[in-house]
């Protein structure tokens, strides 16, 4: 699509340039899609306002900000930023942050092209925060989704209503036979992981943690009521006055995760083979307190598929150290955030957490491998970070020196702080610790790590043409969550030091997701002129069958991925797309366009953060 020509009356200077272009005045637009890309939902009044002009032209160009009537509001020069290899094109930066008019219908004009109309002063972060939290309700299993909570198109029967499961038995993918276990667990409730209905503790853990973190951050700043995150914003079943919808939603998954903990005294078969072995090695142990790694069917279920029609038996995968520590960490966090609101639940969480942590200490090297098909692997062979994270959360919950000493030991075994990802949890420990200044040494360490890490991310951001905080090496499965999780660190750094411009980095992250990218694509359904619609999802499957709904507003696509291109759509694109452009809004493109709880959780976190920290001047 070629961008529309400028409105004649507004382009006097451009028109005269067009009559007699000199070599360095000629401006050639990128051939496809809009030439000027930006956050498709608009800008905060006093925040950074930044657009990207897609052009090969080397010389700086004049840009103009025009109002609804076409009158000039502000003008300036583009900043040529050169070739961005991961975008596969050259770009110029247009920075109109200084302009602070309010209204709808603004446009940017440059290089003979015009942007779409956009608003300034009414960003959609409040609505996005609510919708992105509603994502979780809309993916609940074991409960009918009512139209008054889900919205009519996304209401559906629950499925998995009375779910009990026992351990996987039979021959696994490595050729070893597993005997099963002598118990069944109540496995109802929880969220579907993603486009599949599988349920995986490590991914549930990072998602629950993120929701708890948003709550705990607002709580520590006394902002819950002012922002109405005290139950007044997102309608949910069983809501009660004064109980935050954030906590209520997280609890739906946490109760499910607590249910995957092995009962005291129960025997269970675990895989004791080193991660490097080709074959699993089933060994029977006392499983007390360990947590089953995941729950899913024997084979991948078809798509589309209503949950009520998913009737294949589901099996418990053997417990793993990573899953056990995930539960330990989020249940410790649970004991803090529910302490005043529901002391019994807080006690139950703490007991589950301590039981899990002790079990992990007894069995520190149980690694999950995919024993049977039909679900994701979520294998993780480095659990030092999970130990560090769980010990830290327990220390913050109990104040017991024993946990702090353990956390210090694990920390000594870590050399650097990797970006947040379902298998990399060390920064979660720091983000939690930052909220607890009374635990001085742990807190001070966290602040240092957060500031250092934020500075790294900020520097990386300056290296990208599209100015967003993700290096090309991280453009992989779920890259959009990588952008947002880096935003979490930038946001936390801004809380500590508001003078270093870290919040602008958070805005940049959101701008990228909402359209300032080489595909001119909003990766969030329902937000922006060109928004994702057809994710890989078994119910939001309009892309496969028009009788199913499209993605609801506030659902985030996994994003560009040029590294693990294993679905049928991605396979055909391999080697033919620049990293940031390896994406398509296609239902079958699960390596690029799936949705997932661990991706939507940081979307909620960042939207809620931007709403809360927006500068308001009258
Ligand atoms: O839904 C996909 C199914 O049709 C395929 O047979 C299967 C084979 O790999 O992959 C399924 O896709 C998974 C998706 O539902 C959940 N995320 C991971 C995807 C596979 O890794
Ligand atoms: O997010 C996961 C990604 O990091 C992995 O590379 C990928 C392949 O193992 O799996 C992703 O997680 C999927 C999971 O395995 C099954 N449910 C859907 C998840 C998102 O695609």
């Amino acid at each position: 699509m070629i961008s529309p020509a400028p409105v004649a009356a507004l382009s006097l200077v451009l028109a005269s340039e067009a009559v007699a272009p000199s070599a360095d005045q000629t401006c050639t637009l990128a051939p496809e899609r809009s030439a000027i890309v930006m956050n498709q939902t608009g800008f905060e009044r006093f925040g950074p306002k930044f657009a990207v002009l897609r052009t090969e032209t080397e010389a700086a160009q004049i840009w103009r900000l025009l109002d609804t009537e076409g009158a000039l509001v502000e003008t300036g020069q583009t900043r040529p930023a050169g070739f961005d290899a991961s975008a596969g094109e050259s770009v110029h930066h247009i920075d109109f942050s200084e302009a602070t008019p309010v209204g709808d219908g603004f446009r940017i004009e440059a290089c003979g092209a015009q942007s779409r109309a956009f608003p300034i002063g009414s960003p959609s972060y409040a609505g996005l925060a609510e919708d992105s939290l509603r994502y979780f309700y809309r993916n609940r299993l074991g409960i009918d989704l009512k139209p008054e909570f889900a919205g009519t198109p996304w209401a559906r029967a629950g499925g998995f209503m009375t779910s009990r499961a026992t351990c996987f038995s039979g021959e696994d993918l490595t050729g070893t036979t597993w005997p099963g276990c002598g118990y069944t667990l109540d496995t109802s409730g929880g969220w579907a992981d993603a486009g599949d209905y599988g349920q995986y503790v490590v991914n549930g853990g990072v998602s629950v943690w993120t929701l708890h973190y948003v709550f705990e951050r607002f709580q520590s700043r006394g902002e819950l009521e002012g922002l109405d995150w005290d139950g007044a914003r997102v309608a949910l079943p069983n809501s009660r006055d004064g109980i935050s919808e954030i906590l209520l939603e997280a609890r739906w998954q946490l109760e499910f995760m607590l249910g995957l903990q092995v009962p005291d005294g129960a025997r269970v078969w675990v895989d004791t083979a080193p991660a490097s072995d080709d074959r699993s090695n089933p060994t029977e142990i006392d499983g007390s307190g360990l947590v089953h790694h995941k729950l899913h069917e024997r084979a991948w279920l078809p798509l589309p598929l209503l949950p009520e029609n998913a009737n294949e038996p589901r099996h418990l995968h053997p417990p793993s150290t990573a899953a056990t520590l995930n539960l330990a960490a989020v249940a410790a966090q649970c004991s803090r955030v529910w302490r005043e609101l529901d002391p019994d639940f807080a006690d139950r969480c703490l007991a589950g957490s301590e039981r899990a942590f002790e079990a992990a200490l007894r069995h520190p090297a149980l690694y999950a491998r995919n024993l049977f098909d039909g679900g994701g692997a979520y294998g993780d062979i480095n659990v030092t970070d999970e130990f560090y994270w769980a010990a830290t959360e327990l220390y913050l919950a109990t104040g017991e020196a024993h946990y702090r000493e353990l956390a210090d030991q694990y920390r000594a075994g870590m050399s650097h702080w990797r970006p947040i990802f379902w298998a990399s949890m060390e920064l979660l420990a720091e983000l939690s610790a930052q909220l607890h200044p009374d635990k001085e040494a742990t807190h001070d360490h966290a602040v240092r790590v957060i500031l250092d890490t934020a500075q790294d991310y900020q520097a990386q951001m300056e290296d990208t043409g599209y100015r967003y905080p993700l290096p090309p090496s991280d453009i992989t499965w779920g890259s959009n969550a990588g952008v947002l999780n880096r935003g979490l660190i930038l946001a936390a750094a801004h809380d500590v030091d508001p003078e270093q411009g870290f919040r602008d980095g958070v805005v940049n992250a959101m701008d990228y997701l909402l359209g300032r990218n080489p595909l001119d694509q909003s990766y969030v359904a329902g937000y922006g002129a060109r928004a994702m619609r057809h994710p890989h999802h078994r119910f939001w499957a309009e892309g496969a069958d028009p009788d199913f709904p499209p993605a609801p507003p506030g659902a985030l696509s996994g994003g560009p991925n040029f590294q693990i291109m294993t679905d049928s759509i991605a396979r055909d694109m391999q080697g033919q797309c620049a990293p940031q452009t390896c994406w398509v809004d296609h239902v079958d493109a699960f390596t690029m366009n799936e949705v997932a709880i661990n991706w939507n959780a940081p979307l909620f976190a960042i939207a809620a953060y931007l709403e809360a920290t927006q500068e308001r001047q009258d």
Side-chain angles (χ1 to χ4, degrees):
M1 185 178 58
I2 310 275
S3 296
V7 178
L10 312 175
S11 40
L12 291 178
V13 183
L14 281 181
S16 61
E17 281 171 358
V19 173
S22 72
D24 62 340
Q25 278 174 324
T26 311
C27 187
T28 323
L29 296 172
E32 290 167 354
R33 303 181 292 274
S34 299
I36 301 172
V37 293
M38 61 178 73
N39 183 328
Q40 294 173 8
T41 70
F43 299 91
E44 298 173 341
R45 180 167 184 201
F46 300 107
K49 299 178 201 69
F50 197 84
V52 165
L53 171 67
R54 307 173 52 234
T55 177
E56 295 288 314
T57 307
E58 285 177 13
Q61 302 292 309
I62 291 167
W63 60 258
R64 292 179 184 79
L65 172 66
L66 310 171
D67 69 14
T68 319
E69 267 74 55
L72 185 69
V73 179
E74 182 101 28
T75 182
Q77 293 238 322
T78 65
R79 195 178 72 76
F83 185 69
D84 179 345
S86 90
E89 62 187 10
S90 300
V91 298
H92 290 204
H93 293 164
I94 299 176
D95 185 351
F96 56 110
S97 305
E98 297 302 307
T100 56
V102 170
D104 293 326
F106 295 99
R107 289 173 198 272
I108 287 280
E109 193 177 80
C111 190
Q114 223 180 51
S115 73
R116 283 183 211 98
F118 59 86
I120 297 179
S122 51
S124 42
Y125 300 133
L128 180 54
E130 289 162 23
D131 281 338
S132 53
L133 182 60
R134 212 170 271 119
Y135 171 98
F136 295 90
Y137 172 77
R138 287 174 168 145
N139 280 286
R140 286 189 186 188
L141 300 180
I143 183 175
D144 292 337
L145 302 189
K146 304 276 193 219
E148 62 267 37
F149 305 126
T152 303
W154 300 286
R156 57 158 173 76
F160 308 97
M161 295 306 274
T162 47
S163 171
R164 288 200 77 86
T166 189
C167 302
F168 166 77
S169 60
E171 193 177 323
D172 71 19
L173 291 169
T174 77
T176 320
T177 299
W178 290 71
C181 59
Y183 57 83
T184 63
L185 295 180
D186 178 355
T187 51
S188 48
W191 304 313
D193 185 59
D196 59 320
Y197 296 126
Q199 294 178 274
Y200 314 89
V201 170
V202 296
N203 212 40
V206 65
S207 310
V208 168
W209 179 90
T210 305
L211 299 195
H212 281 164
Y213 170 71
V214 174
F215 176 90
E216 201 174 29
R217 178 182 169 278
F218 283 141
Q219 186 186 43
S220 69
R221 303 168 69 88
E223 292 174 352
L224 287 164
E225 279 184 33
L227 292 162
D228 291 336
W229 288 122
D230 54 356
R233 291 181 62 166
V234 175
L236 292 173
N238 302 324
S239 63
R240 271 172 293 153
D241 244 12
I243 304 264
S244 175
E245 53 273 75
I246 306 173
L247 290 190
L248 211 53
E249 192 52 64
R251 183 166 174 167
W252 182 260
Q253 172 75 5
L254 188 53
E255 298 262 15
F256 163 79
M257 289 171 59
L258 286 163
L260 293 192
Q261 192 162 26
V262 179
D264 272 341
R267 310 283 300 169
V268 69
W269 291 81
V270 293
D271 185 1
T272 53
S276 52
D277 274 19
D278 293 344
R279 284 177 74 103
S280 59
N281 181 31
T283 309
E284 196 182 26
I285 59 168
D286 170 0
S288 309
L290 288 171
V291 178
H292 286 280
H293 193 71
K294 54 177 185 161
L295 173 72
H296 59 74
E297 293 78 3
R298 236 7 210 271
W300 286 103
L301 297 173
L303 182 159
L305 179 71
L306 290 167
E308 61 182 314
N309 295 333
N311 296 317
E312 299 293 319
R314 298 195 296 168
H315 305 277
L316 296 169
H317 197 273
S320 67
T321 306
T324 303
L325 289 168
N326 261 264
L327 179 74
V330 297
Q333 209 188 10
C334 160
S335 75
R336 302 197 300 265
V337 295
W338 282 97
R339 179 55 56 204
E340 306 292 320
L341 299 167
D342 184 344
D344 291 345
F345 184 51
D347 286 345
R348 183 148 73 85
C349 280
L350 188 56
S353 170
E354 295 195 302
R355 228 155 61 75
F357 194 73
E358 283 157 24
L361 288 174
R362 285 198 308 275
H363 302 287
L366 303 177
Y367 303 113
R369 73 172 84 219
N370 230 14
L371 297 179
F372 57 106
D373 208 11
Y378 284 118
D380 182 359
I381 54 170
N382 173 1
V383 293
T384 307
D385 52 313
E386 279 82 5
F387 270 114
Y388 176 57
W389 175 42
T392 303
E393 297 289 359
L394 271 161
Y395 170 57
L396 299 175
T398 63
E400 283 174 27
H402 156 71
Y403 289 122
R404 193 195 58 227
E405 285 154 18
L406 278 172
D408 288 350
Q409 281 170 31
Y410 296 122
R411 183 197 289 159
M414 294 179 338
S415 54
H416 61 291
W417 272 251
R418 299 162 301 173
I420 298 168
F421 163 66
W422 58 261
S424 309
M425 303 307 202
E426 56 269 31
L427 282 172
L428 305 189
E430 311 306 349
L431 288 171
S432 282
Q434 188 199 349
L435 303 180
H436 294 270
D438 57 316
K439 310 279 187 301
E440 216 178 316
T442 302
H443 168 267
D444 293 353
H445 173 265
V447 167
R448 278 198 306 281
V449 169
I450 287 167
L451 286 174
D452 285 357
T453 309
Q455 275 159 4
D456 285 353
Y457 294 172
Q458 214 171 23
Q460 287 167 355
M461 188 165 68
E462 298 304 326
D463 279 351
T464 63
Y466 278 86
R467 244 219 205 158
Y468 74 117
L470 196 77
S473 56
D474 279 15
I475 301 178
T476 183
W477 199 321
S479 65
N480 283 345
V483 175
L484 289 163
N485 279 324
R486 285 158 178 263
L488 272 187
I489 296 293
L490 291 161
H494 178 80
D495 284 348
V496 185
D497 183 354
E499 302 304 317
Q500 290 197 48
F502 292 127
R503 187 180 184 281
D504 289 0
V506 186
V507 175
N508 278 325
M510 199 62 116
D511 283 351
Y512 165 83
L513 294 177
L514 290 171
R516 197 181 73 213
N517 54 60
L519 294 178
D520 182 27
Q521 180 69 47
S522 165
Y523 293 110
V524 181
Y527 285 80
R530 284 165 45 81
M532 179 277 274
R533 186 176 173 102
H534 292 138
H536 184 79
H537 191 277
R538 279 170 175 67
F539 176 51
W540 307 335
E542 187 197 59
D545 178 341
D547 288 340
F548 284 75
L556 173 73
S557 167
N561 168 12
F562 76 107
Q563 304 189 46
I564 317 178
M565 304 182 78
T566 48
D567 67 64
S568 60
I569 308 292
R571 244 181 275 133
D572 288 346
M573 294 169 71
Q574 215 153 8
Q576 291 167 47
C577 47
Q580 285 181 57
T581 69
C582 297
W583 184 87
V584 53
D585 188 11
H586 195 293
V587 61
D588 294 330
F590 56 76
T591 64
M592 306 179 289
N593 199 35
E594 192 160 347
V595 293
I597 51 175
N598 62 318
W599 305 338
N600 243 78
L603 177 65
F604 164 64
I606 294 299
Y609 175 89
L610 286 176
E611 180 205 5
T613 55
Q614 191 190 328
E615 192 180 328
R616 289 179 181 83
Q617 289 174 21
D618 302 315

